[in-house]
Amino acid sequence: MIVTIVGAGNMARGIGTRALAGGHSVRLHDRDRAKAEDLAAALGRAAPGSDATAADADTVADSDVVVLALPYPAGRDLAAAWAGALAGKAVVDISNPVDFTTFDSLVVPPGTSAAEQIAAAAPESRVVKAFNTTFAGPLVTGEVAGRPLDVFIAGDDDTAKRTVTELVSAAGLRPLDVGPLRRARELEAFQFLHMASQERLGLNWSSAVAILP
Amino acid sequence: MIVTIVGAGNMARGIGTRALAGGHSVRLHDRDRAKAEDLAAALGRAAPGSDATAADADTVADSDVVVLALPYPAGRDLAAAWAGALAGKAVVDISNPVDFTTFDSLVVPPGTSAAEQIAAAAPESRVVKAFNTTFAGPLVTGEVAGRPLDVFIAGDDDTAKRTVTELVSAAGLRPLDVGPLRRARELEAFQFLHMASQERLGLNWSSAVAILP
């Protein structure tokens, strides 16, 4: 699989690490090309023999999955700008639209989700919510407390959801299909609570949401 | 502690079991007195020497905690009817206001929660959200996958929250303070997703929401 990741921050590093562990090719795109090159080099050093490269926007054309590893609303704006190229593609939204000024709510109105807003911005793409409850640190190792990370997957397109499920499984993580894309509302809500509780619970951004057993 | 549980269904059985394990006295109230007596007898048989009895509504007066183990909106209606007696009391709302006709949303409007509605119905009580993500079966054993159940606790009154935290800890479960009562919105949202995913994921109502590690 060719996995394009848009963004070159911590989440791109985490998801890139796992995609490479699954044997996939990773293309990193960032508006700051040097950042994408740096991350590609770092991922390559960490996983010798793997295929991680920086890429221009045209990499989308032959990609199997495009992961928007961008904060909200930057991911939505990029989806709108790239809507033509993303038509028919599996697009993964990982974002948590938290209002970081108050840390008391989301910036998307109740009754919708960042994922649905992104789907509306690129209506011919096949948006899948995934990786929004997994922090970057645990993604690099792939597990917390000796258990593979749970990756909650929501989407309306079964083919795209299957592709993302394969990506997650190959990465050594546990995919959990929680239904249609509108279930992103609950995924974003709970991860907001998880983020807002980090300091109070002393979790240090190394925790993970799980469904046991 | 004297713990009054209103309702005599599966959740009353689960929470009653854990409260008795913590060494507390459990008073069971149900509008069908015979159901409360049956459950008290069953809990007593399961934990010989423990203190479980059926009780009339006046048991609230000397209770330290009142757990509304009722579906929504029955819990809200009871809170309204008992508002005077509940004044100053720690009241635990465990409900999940799922729309069971569609299993696609909650019956409370976006931007609020069952817990906040119950607090509004008994405004002088001290409502705490807890036990809404723990199914009845796992509560009886107290653990899933070898881990004590996580009990997410949200509330605006620190004293009431401390009381519930002690109840949870003594019961051998792990209390997680996730902030003010409005965080019940996210707790109810995620448990709705957890419930709606039971069949798809083959979880058989024996799963638990956890924050790892």
Side-chain angles (χ1 to χ4, degrees):
Chain A
M1 239 189 250
I2 297 178
V3 180
T4 288
I5 301 176
V6 183
N10 283 337
M11 284 301 291
R13 178 185 302 268
I15 295 168
T17 300
R18 296 262 58 80
L20 291 174
H24 302 301
S25 296
V26 171
R27 308 266 173 271
L28 295 155
H29 177 80
D30 194 278
R31 59 184 174 183
D32 179 349
R33 169 93 190 187
K35 276 188 69 177
E37 286 174 354
D38 286 351
L39 180 55
L43 290 174
R45 280 193 302 275
S50 66
D51 178 17
T53 52
D56 293 323
D58 62 6
T59 187
V60 166
D62 66 345
S63 293
D64 298 291
V65 186
V66 179
V67 179
L68 304 181
L70 297 170
Y72 189 84
R76 181 200 60 197
D77 297 345
L78 182 123
W82 288 17
L86 292 173
K89 294 284 175 189
V91 174
V92 178
D93 166 39
I94 71 163
S95 71
N96 287 295
V98 174
D99 184 337
F100 289 104
T101 59
T102 65
F103 234 115
D104 193 43
S105 69
L106 299 174
V107 296
V108 292
T112 185
S113 60
E116 290 164 283
Q117 299 294 315
I118 287 171
E124 293 182 75
S125 71
R126 300 166 178 200
V127 175
V128 174
K129 190 87 193 181
F131 295 108
N132 82 296
T133 68
T134 51
F135 290 134
L139 269 174
V140 171
T141 54
E143 58 177 45
V144 166
R147 292 180 65 92
L149 291 182
D150 280 352
V151 177
F152 297 89
I153 297 172
D156 293 332
D157 185 279
D158 285 342
T159 305
K161 220 153 59 162
R162 222 164 12 243
T163 300
V164 176
T165 298
E166 285 169 19
L167 175 65
V168 168
S169 293
L173 312 176
R174 186 172 79 138
L176 293 175
D177 177 357
V178 297
L181 192 63
R182 59 188 175 276
R183 287 292 81 76
R185 299 170 194 178
E186 290 80 31
L187 293 175
E188 294 172 14
F190 198 64
Q191 180 66 358
F192 153 55
L193 175 147
H194 183 207
M195 294 166 77
S197 302
Q198 287 295 305
E199 197 172 314
R200 186 184 298 102
L201 300 176
L203 295 171
N204 202 28
W205 306 89
S206 60
S207 54
V209 178
I211 299 291
L212 300 178
Chain B
M1 238 188 252
I2 299 178
V3 180
T4 288
I5 302 176
V6 183
N10 284 337
M11 285 301 291
R13 178 185 302 268
I15 294 168
T17 301
R18 296 263 55 82
L20 291 174
H24 302 300
S25 295
V26 171
R27 308 267 173 271
L28 295 155
H29 177 79
D30 195 277
R31 60 185 173 181
D32 179 349
R33 169 94 191 186
K35 275 188 68 180
E37 286 175 353
D38 286 351
L39 180 54
L43 290 175
R45 280 193 302 274
S50 66
D51 178 19
T53 52
D56 293 324
D58 62 6
T59 187
V60 166
D62 66 345
S63 294
D64 299 291
V65 187
V66 178
V67 179
L68 304 181
L70 297 170
Y72 189 86
R76 181 200 61 196
D77 297 345
L78 182 121
W82 288 17
L86 293 174
K89 294 285 175 189
V91 173
V92 178
D93 165 39
I94 71 164
S95 71
N96 286 294
V98 174
D99 184 337
F100 289 105
T101 59
T102 65
F103 234 115
D104 193 42
S105 69
L106 298 174
V107 296
V108 292
T112 185
S113 61
E116 290 164 284
Q117 298 294 315
I118 287 170
E124 292 181 76
S125 70
R126 301 168 175 196
V127 175
V128 175
K129 189 86 192 184
F131 294 108
N132 83 297
T133 67
T134 50
F135 290 134
L139 269 174
V140 171
T141 55
E143 57 176 47
V144 166
R147 292 179 64 91
L149 291 181
D150 280 353
V151 177
F152 298 89
I153 297 172
D156 293 331
D157 185 278
D158 286 341
T159 305
K161 218 152 61 160
R162 219 162 17 240
T163 301
V164 175
T165 298
E166 286 169 18
L167 175 66
V168 168
S169 293
L173 313 176
R174 187 172 79 139
L176 293 175
D177 178 357
V178 297
L181 193 63
R182 59 188 176 276
R183 288 291 81 76
R185 300 170 194 176
E186 290 80 33
L187 293 175
E188 295 172 11
F190 198 64
Q191 181 65 358
F192 153 55
L193 175 146
H194 183 207
M195 294 167 78
S197 302
Q198 288 294 306
E199 196 171 316
R200 185 184 298 101
L201 300 176
L203 295 171
N204 202 27
W205 306 88
S206 59
S207 53
V209 178
I211 300 291
L212 301 178

